[in-house]
Amino acid sequence: MTVTTATANRSRIKRTSAVSGSPGQNIDVRLVARTIAQAAMEVLAGTRPVQQLSRSLDPNTYLSLQHRAALTREHMKISRGRNPLHASPTVRSVRACNISELICEASIVVAEEQRTRAVAMRLERMDGTWRVTALEIG
């Protein structure tokens, strides 16, 4: 997002967004990104089965998330006395950038009880629905 302000006249503010297209389409992709990020964090917390994301993730991304969730469960077994790693994740903000009409990248900030994390994803429009082809959880 670019913000330009005139120094002499503060009331003149020009804002351009990196997300192009119709406003309805932009809201749609942001809501999809928010929902998938929230669900992915819940999968890592162990409160949601990874199978619920099978339609939203491509096969490689699905297997990656499944593997990371298994590793997280193993870590939680070892450190039983501690608080859960991903307790009550809440999405704080979502930013989206259209690369083309069919590809969008999103960055999401997710707050947990002990820390704040970043989630980045690449979404591609396939058969009229957005599908995550890359997912990085920091």
Side-chain angles (χ1 to χ4, degrees), residues 2-137:
T2 306
V3 178
T4 308
T5 59
T7 55
N9 185 2
R10 288 274 182 207
S11 64
R12 250 183 62 205
I13 299 175
K14 178 185 175 186
R15 296 178 186 217
T16 58
S17 176
V19 181
S20 61
S22 67
Q25 184 181 14
N26 295 341
I27 292 170
D28 181 42
V29 73
R30 287 188 204 125
L31 289 175
V32 169
R34 171 184 289 273
T35 303
I36 293 172
Q38 177 79 33
M41 295 304 294
E42 290 171 0
V43 166
L44 294 181
T47 58
R48 178 187 293 259
V50 71
Q51 293 83 5
Q52 289 184 0
L53 289 173
S54 63
R55 290 184 180 182
S56 302
L57 306 176
D58 76 336
N60 290 335
T61 307
Y62 178 81
L63 289 173
S64 262
L65 182 61
Q66 188 176 36
H67 179 70
R68 183 162 178 181
L71 291 174
T72 302
R73 281 193 304 274
E74 286 298 317
H75 179 74
M76 289 174 74
K77 284 180 188 176
I78 294 170
S79 60
R80 282 184 188 254
R82 299 185 201 162
N83 291 335
L85 290 176
H86 311 287
S88 63
T90 306
V91 175
R92 295 290 183 206
S93 69
V94 179
R95 300 285 186 262
C97 177
N98 283 355
I99 305 303
S100 70
E101 289 183 17
L102 301 176
I103 299 172
C104 182
E105 292 182 348
S107 61
I108 302 99
V109 176
V110 180
E112 297 172 338
E113 289 180 10
Q114 300 295 324
R115 62 194 264 195
T116 301
R117 301 168 67 112
V119 178
M121 67 178 68
R122 182 179 183 98
L123 298 110
E124 294 183 15
R125 198 162 181 89
M126 299 176 191
D127 300 327
T129 60
W130 290 104
R131 195 166 204 193
V132 177
T133 57
L135 178 66
E136 292 292 328
I137 301 173

